[in-house]
Amino acid sequence: MSSEIQIAAPRVPILPILYEDRDLLVADKPAGLVVHPAYKHPDGTLFDAVSLYMQMRGEAKPCLLHRLDKDTSGAVLLAKTEAARRHLVRQFEQRAIRKTYLALVCGALYPACGEIDAPLRRDPADRRRMQIDSQGAPARTGYQTLKTLGPGFALIELQPITGRMHQLRIHLAAQGAPIVGDTLYAGSDPWRPLAPPRQCLHAHILTFQHPTTGSRLSVVSPLPQDIQTILTTLTSPERCF
């Protein structure tokens, strides 16, 4: 089931819906969209769009269950009822919700599949960043290399076991394979010929137990066009960088 929120209101984005029923909604967040209102982003967010969409249909505001970074795209889960919220929050707490991401990285991971276990804490010198610290909160990420793209790049599937801020981005950078376009953690920009406008990280699949039916549900967000274009460039036989 898919549809699209199209609301003619100032600063409320058009937003694709990947799945919706009476209990929950999964929105497809584009890169560049803030998930929830904050000090520097008081409106024009994903939450604003979904809330207005539901208000226009006579429904109460939804409950946002998790977030993505502004420049990360993909599936975002919202509950439409209090019962669904409680059920889904419990699944998050029990780590029963499986989140699968795709990342285009500069470099390679060795071995090609495994788990990164590196505790994280906020960087005291720069509150925008996280850093690896043995005294930090536990942080674990499962990964699998899906495809190597000639010398220097790879497409990686990621499954966060914990959910720390910037976890996937800093874990990959610490392994010498920063996400293409992630200027916060990569240091330099070895992907300059690709000129990506954002980090190439995408929340691809959400898998969870439906709060009413009890069935296992997987909702897929297709890889967006901007990352697809870069993948095509990297696999082109005419590639010259």
Side-chain angles (χ1 to χ4, degrees):
M1 179 190 304
S2 63
S3 58
E4 192 170 78
I5 296 175
Q6 299 190 42
I7 303 170
R11 295 185 57 77
V12 176
I14 294 175
L15 190 66
I17 299 298
L18 298 169
Y19 177 88
E20 182 182 10
D21 60 27
R22 66 181 184 178
D23 297 302
L24 58 92
L25 180 151
V26 182
D28 198 12
K29 187 185 96 64
L33 179 65
V34 174
V35 169
H36 194 275
Y39 173 69
K40 292 185 178 180
H41 302 280
D43 56 18
T45 68
L46 179 146
F47 184 76
D48 292 321
V50 177
S51 296
L52 186 53
Y53 165 70
M54 293 180 63
Q55 177 186 335
M56 293 174 69
R57 301 194 308 175
E59 299 181 271
K61 284 187 177 182
C63 177
L64 184 66
L65 296 167
H66 64 119
R67 304 189 187 196
L68 298 176
D69 293 340
K70 176 183 176 182
D71 289 327
T72 297
S73 54
V76 177
L77 178 61
L78 301 98
K80 296 173 66 175
T81 69
E82 177 58 22
R85 184 197 69 81
R86 290 196 302 267
H87 195 287
L88 292 165
V89 165
R90 186 161 57 249
Q91 290 185 60
F92 272 108
E93 291 173 347
Q94 296 171 350
R95 298 178 182 170
I97 293 182
R98 183 183 179 94
K99 295 183 286 184
T100 301
Y101 290 74
L102 297 175
L104 176 62
V105 304
C106 182
L109 293 172
Y110 302 101
C113 63
E115 182 180 306
I116 303 167
D117 186 350
L120 299 176
R121 73 178 180 96
R122 197 178 289 271
D123 186 343
D126 185 346
R127 300 292 291 174
R128 299 174 306 153
R129 297 169 53 97
M130 298 293 283
Q131 66 179 26
I132 293 176
D133 189 307
S134 60
Q135 302 303 310
R140 296 166 56 204
T141 301
Y143 70 88
Q144 178 179 353
T145 302
L146 298 180
K147 184 186 296 186
T148 54
L149 301 162
F153 297 93
L155 182 65
I156 308 293
E157 181 181 274
L158 301 160
Q159 270 129 26
I161 300 167
T162 56
R164 310 301 174 196
M165 174 181 165
H166 296 177
Q167 177 178 312
L168 304 181
R169 297 165 62 186
I170 192 169
H171 273 179
L172 289 171
Q175 298 297 310
I179 296 173
V180 169
D182 188 355
T183 56
L184 187 60
Y185 290 107
S188 58
D189 55 352
W191 52 78
R192 179 177 290 277
L194 301 175
R198 53 103 167 193
Q199 69 254 11
C200 294
L201 179 63
H202 181 66
H204 181 45
I205 306 173
L206 277 174
T207 303
F208 52 92
Q209 184 185 48
H210 192 280
T212 298
T213 67
S215 60
R216 198 71 173 159
L217 182 65
S218 287
V219 181
V220 178
S221 170
L223 199 63
Q225 187 58 54
D226 60 344
I227 299 180
Q228 289 277 19
T229 298
I230 294 174
L231 289 175
T232 299
T233 300
L234 289 171
T235 54
S236 169
E238 289 79 27
R239 176 181 157 194
C240 59
F241 55 88

